[in-house]
Amino acid sequence: MALGVTFLGALEGRAIAGVFGGMVFRTGLPLMAMALGSQIPWLAGNQFPGRIVAYFLVSLTAETILAVWVAKSSWNIRFWR
């Protein structure tokens, strides 16, 4: 969902707004899942919050790289030499 919001923002010429909108999904959903998972005893007992943290760190890295790539292609500039 985060990449979809970033892509739609880039298509409309608002790449920065798309990246910030994608951050809501990229960070908000895992934090909400951790909060809910720690309150439900069955999920907390099966290490659900820890798995969410691991998933969050891996997906955050991948999605950030892809979001910068999408935004960069819409700005027509170079971030790195």
Side-chain angles (χ1 to χ4, degrees), residues 27-40:
T27 58
L29 292 179
L31 290 174
M32 185 177 67
M34 284 175 34
L36 289 175
S38 64
Q39 298 300 316
I40 300 171

Side-chain angles (χ1 to χ4, degrees), residues 52-73:
I52 292 294
V53 169
Y55 166 76
F56 171 70
L57 293 175
V58 170
S59 65
L60 179 66
T61 304
E63 284 184 294
T64 301
I65 291 168
L66 291 172
V68 168
W69 179 70
V70 167
K72 177 183 73 112
S73 65

Side-chain angles (χ1 to χ4, degrees), residues 5-18:
V5 171
T6 303
F7 180 72
L8 290 175
L11 282 180
E12 294 180 5
R14 299 182 199 148
I16 295 289

